[in-house]
Amino acid sequence: MGEFELLAHIRERLPAPGERVRLGSGDDAAIVVPDGATVTSVDALVDGVHFRREVASATQIGHKALATALSDLAAMGGEPGEAYVVLGLPADFGEDECLQLLDGMTALARATETTLAGGDLSRSSELFLAVTVVGHAPGAEDLVARDGASPGDALVLTGEIGGAAAGLLLLTNPDLAIDWRVRHEMEGQTRQWGEKTGEALRTRQLEPTARLAAGRALARAGATAMIDVSDGLGGDARHLARSSGVSLRIDADAVPLAPGSGEVMETAGRDRWQLLGGGEDYELLACIPPSRYEQARAAVQEAEGLALTRIGAVEAGSGVEIRLPGGRLLEAEGFDQLA
Amino acid sequence: MGEFELLAHIRERLPAPGERVRLGSGDDAAIVVPDGATVTSVDALVDGVHFRREVASATQIGHKALATALSDLAAMGGEPGEAYVVLGLPADFGEDECLQLLDGMTALARATETTLAGGDLSRSSELFLAVTVVGHAPGAEDLVARDGASPGDALVLTGEIGGAAAGLLLLTNPDLAIDWRVRHEMEGQTRQWGEKTGEALRTRQLEPTARLAAGRALARAGATAMIDVSDGLGGDARHLARSSGVSLRIDADAVPLAPGSGEVMETAGRDRWQLLGGGEDYELLACIPPSRYEQARAAVQEAEGLALTRIGAVEAGSGVEIRLPGGRLLEAEGFDQLA
């Protein structure tokens, strides 16, 4: 099967285009008629850097590539519109795997009402993907950038973090999964708890969720600045603080960690607070006036069944300060990503 | 220099954003307010497939990546707006080369008034680029797809083709350049002619031009279908014929070949008509009612100083028929790309 045949095969599997799309995949370019502002982001995923073919299925790789791109739209409060996909295909990545990868992507596209409106394929020496996503909003003022936080705002986080980093440790260290199960059984947990919890952590790593509804709810509720936690809570807080020209104070004890993630870290001989530097959870970190917090919390719960937790505050100054239980301070500079 | 420092360096070099851009590079996503329809295309370029680091400078690679993406906008008659760039950077591609690559891209972005509005970097084992471009038009009806050709339309081509394929032969076969110079000197050409002509052919391969002004002129003049010649005249004619549900008849003798390209082919022991299968010239192939041809020809000359040549006709049926001098017929299926 050549490139053109593969493209024809791919096109057959695409869900119907959204209403704004006047000409979809198959021409020189797609034609879209937006009805307000657009919000556009592009993400690269490379084998061995952003995923590992040894531990992720082709379907999971396709899902993750689109999910991480959509997460940037979530972080702006945009409504997903179109996606454009580049695939670099090595000789040992067969057509079946290619179509499975696309199935993972189209399933998520359907669920999020995203149109796969174009793409390009190339031979390459390693598997890579580049996904461009375009979202929509009535106007530019309905979208939330990183630069609007003010001293006095509350710092809030959707869901739980640490799961993706703990899941990666379990996936890449098979012995660790056994050690961890022994450990939690000694602590009186059931074997079933360990298996379910481990599976949930691996899924956080392999099949992330873009918090699209939560992002729109936060934007409507009055978030002043927002970012998705892709590089790690400490690192992404630093990006937001720098863009807004403020200082962020985070109470580590208030940060919700994914169940089991702290135990996995400790079993691996690491400090559980390193999870604050572990990326790829794709939760949303936002700043919001304290008077809006309750409304935002209810809206995020309603939109996505997700907790919204106050984890700190915006202050005048610069940088990020993380206060650990017992009063020890960590500079966010000290966090490296887990890899 | 880490990813974030390199990104900061890159942002400093970017030209000022266009008027539609409300938030450029540096946030989760770019915010743009289009004023009509958008036209979006994505192109992948991989080392060894679309360019060769041995013969192309980093600046040329950056130029070519943006030019080939913009060519798809030209083929729709769109006005260039924003570009989003993914770079996969191998360990042996240094920061200086990375910034040179970007200089090649920003120079073309400035010349075409394209805003580099976002991007992503990753480590990779080989150099690759993925460029997404977004163009604009007052309405979807102002853009030209591949599917509107009707029997009776004239088939027209901008500029000359064959130069990129001949240039590639010269670049990848150093002996051929010598043989060719000897040959044309024996035919009474001067050495200077050979050097200038050879350089022009190499430039066609290394630094292609997107026919943006010509594309808009053709759209305004009433082109019914249009495509850029990236895969080769025969192959791209086939794409257009299939989309429009028509047959295309091409008179090979009427197709303008780049000066010297036929001689290079013959020196290499190949049939010069194989140039009709050689891609990467990025000229525009369009269909237009014959009554509009003179107006279109004048508009393309005015817009880009470029010839517009009638090379054939649209007929009822399917497929592409190329008539060689002497009456021999070639089916476009018989053309392979030169590589």
Side-chain angles (χ1 to χ4, degrees):
Chain A
M1 202 176 346
E3 179 187 344
F4 296 119
E5 286 71 25
L6 186 58
L7 284 172
H9 242 70
I10 287 173
R11 262 178 231 123
E12 280 169 21
R13 296 176 168 233
L14 297 183
E19 279 181 15
R20 296 184 188 90
V21 179
R22 302 300 159 85
L23 180 67
S25 181
D27 213 293
D28 290 303
I31 301 178
V32 178
V33 181
D35 40 16
T38 62
V39 53
T40 306
S41 179
V42 58
D43 268 294
L45 282 89
V46 178
D47 187 18
V49 182
H50 304 92
F51 61 85
R52 284 158 185 78
R53 282 176 66 192
E54 310 90 77
V55 297
S57 71
T59 314
Q60 288 170 328
I61 294 167
H63 172 101
K64 184 170 177 175
L66 182 57
T68 58
L70 289 172
S71 180
D72 287 315
L73 300 189
M76 307 290 287
E79 178 197 335
E82 301 78 49
Y84 303 86
V85 180
V86 163
L87 294 179
L89 299 171
D92 69 344
F93 195 78
E95 285 152 22
D96 282 353
E97 275 178 293
C98 185
L99 294 174
Q100 283 161 20
L101 184 151
L102 199 84
D103 284 341
M105 205 172 270
T106 49
L108 181 59
R110 260 179 244 273
T112 57
E113 298 185 30
T114 304
T115 300
L116 296 177
D120 195 13
L121 301 181
S122 175
R123 287 184 282 126
S124 64
S125 64
E126 71 196 331
L127 181 64
F128 72 82
L129 301 91
V131 181
T132 304
V133 284
V134 182
H136 300 271
E141 65 283 1
D142 297 301
L143 296 163
V144 183
R146 297 178 181 176
D147 62 355
S150 301
D153 282 350
L155 186 66
V156 298
L157 180 73
T158 63
E160 301 150 344
I161 66 162
L168 183 58
L169 281 176
L170 289 176
L171 283 163
T172 53
N173 301 285
D175 291 349
L176 176 63
I178 297 164
D179 292 349
W180 175 58
R181 215 162 58 190
V182 168
R183 176 187 162 123
H184 76 242
E185 281 173 15
M186 285 169 63
E187 287 173 354
Q189 305 276 10
T190 64
R191 170 179 288 263
Q192 205 188 16
W193 183 86
E195 277 165 7
K196 275 194 179 165
T197 308
E199 200 48 40
L201 295 172
R202 290 184 192 92
T203 301
R204 280 302 297 236
Q205 169 59 227
L206 295 173
E207 297 171 38
T209 303
R211 299 305 193 187
L212 289 158
R216 288 205 294 283
L218 279 160
R220 279 194 299 266
T224 55
M226 190 151 60
I227 191 170
D228 66 323
V229 182
S230 54
D231 294 329
L233 181 63
D236 287 312
R238 202 159 68 230
H239 297 317
L240 193 152
R242 191 181 298 139
S243 289
S244 286
V246 296
S247 164
L248 297 180
R249 185 177 49 69
I250 295 175
D251 297 318
D253 228 11
V255 176
L257 296 182
S261 60
E263 291 84 343
V264 168
M265 291 295 284
E266 285 161 7
T267 308
R270 301 195 189 208
D271 185 334
R272 68 161 60 204
W273 299 113
Q274 278 195 292
L275 289 173
L276 302 190
E280 300 195 286
D281 286 304
Y282 300 102
E283 296 294 349
L284 299 176
L285 179 70
C287 303
I288 191 163
S291 61
R292 301 291 195 93
Y293 169 62
E294 268 309 315
Q295 179 197 343
R297 198 189 57 72
V300 168
Q301 182 68 44
E302 166 81 19
E304 207 156 338
L306 205 60
L308 185 74
T309 309
R310 207 166 158 165
I311 63 164
V314 182
E315 298 179 347
S318 65
V320 173
E321 188 188 277
I322 299 178
R323 186 175 299 266
L324 299 185
R328 188 159 63 96
L329 291 184
L330 269 186
E331 294 293 322
E333 306 290 339
F335 282 104
D336 283 326
Q337 280 193 59
L338 301 171
Chain B
M1 201 177 342
E3 179 186 344
F4 297 118
E5 286 71 24
L6 185 58
L7 283 172
H9 242 69
I10 287 174
R11 262 178 232 122
E12 280 168 20
R13 295 176 169 234
L14 297 184
E19 280 182 13
R20 297 185 188 90
V21 179
R22 303 299 159 87
L23 179 69
S25 184
D27 213 292
D28 290 302
I31 301 177
V32 178
V33 181
D35 41 16
T38 63
V39 53
T40 305
S41 180
V42 57
D43 268 295
L45 281 89
V46 177
D47 186 18
V49 183
H50 304 91
F51 60 86
R52 284 158 186 77
R53 282 176 65 192
E54 309 90 74
V55 297
S57 72
T59 313
Q60 288 170 326
I61 293 168
H63 172 100
K64 183 169 177 176
L66 182 56
T68 57
L70 288 172
S71 179
D72 286 315
L73 300 188
M76 307 288 289
E79 177 197 335
E82 300 80 46
Y84 304 86
V85 180
V86 163
L87 295 179
L89 300 170
D92 69 344
F93 194 78
E95 285 151 22
D96 282 354
E97 277 179 293
C98 185
L99 294 174
Q100 283 161 20
L101 183 150
L102 200 82
D103 284 342
M105 207 172 271
T106 50
L108 182 58
R110 260 179 246 273
T112 56
E113 298 185 31
T114 304
T115 300
L116 295 178
D120 195 13
L121 302 180
S122 175
R123 286 185 282 125
S124 64
S125 64
E126 71 195 332
L127 181 64
F128 71 82
L129 303 91
V131 181
T132 304
V133 286
V134 182
H136 299 272
E141 65 283 3
D142 297 301
L143 297 162
V144 183
R146 297 177 182 175
D147 62 355
S150 301
D153 283 351
L155 185 66
V156 299
L157 180 73
T158 64
E160 300 151 343
I161 65 163
L168 183 59
L169 280 176
L170 289 175
L171 284 162
T172 52
N173 302 286
D175 290 349
L176 176 63
I178 298 163
D179 291 348
W180 175 58
R181 217 163 54 194
V182 170
R183 178 188 161 119
H184 76 242
E185 281 171 17
M186 286 170 61
E187 288 173 354
Q189 305 276 10
T190 65
R191 171 179 288 265
Q192 204 187 17
W193 183 87
E195 276 164 9
K196 276 196 179 165
T197 307
E199 200 48 40
L201 294 174
R202 290 183 192 93
T203 301
R204 279 302 297 235
Q205 169 59 226
L206 295 173
E207 298 172 37
T209 303
R211 300 305 192 187
L212 288 159
R216 289 204 294 283
L218 279 160
R220 279 194 298 266
T224 55
M226 191 152 58
I227 191 169
D228 65 324
V229 181
S230 54
D231 294 329
L233 181 62
D236 288 313
R238 203 160 65 230
H239 297 320
L240 194 152
R242 193 181 295 139
S243 289
S244 287
V246 297
S247 164
L248 297 180
R249 185 178 47 72
I250 296 175
D251 296 319
D253 228 11
V255 176
L257 296 183
S261 60
E263 291 82 345
V264 168
M265 291 295 285
E266 283 160 10
T267 309
R270 301 191 189 212
D271 185 334
R272 68 162 60 204
W273 298 115
Q274 277 196 291
L275 289 172
L276 303 191
E280 301 194 286
D281 286 304
Y282 300 103
E283 296 294 350
L284 299 177
L285 178 70
C287 302
I288 191 162
S291 61
R292 302 291 195 93
Y293 168 63
E294 267 310 315
Q295 177 196 345
R297 198 190 57 72
V300 167
Q301 182 67 44
E302 166 81 20
E304 207 156 339
L306 205 61
L308 184 73
T309 309
R310 206 165 160 167
I311 62 165
V314 181
E315 298 179 348
S318 65
V320 174
E321 188 187 278
I322 299 178
R323 186 176 302 265
L324 298 185
R328 188 161 60 98
L329 290 185
L330 268 186
E331 294 293 322
E333 306 288 340
F335 282 104
D336 284 328
Q337 280 193 57
L338 300 171

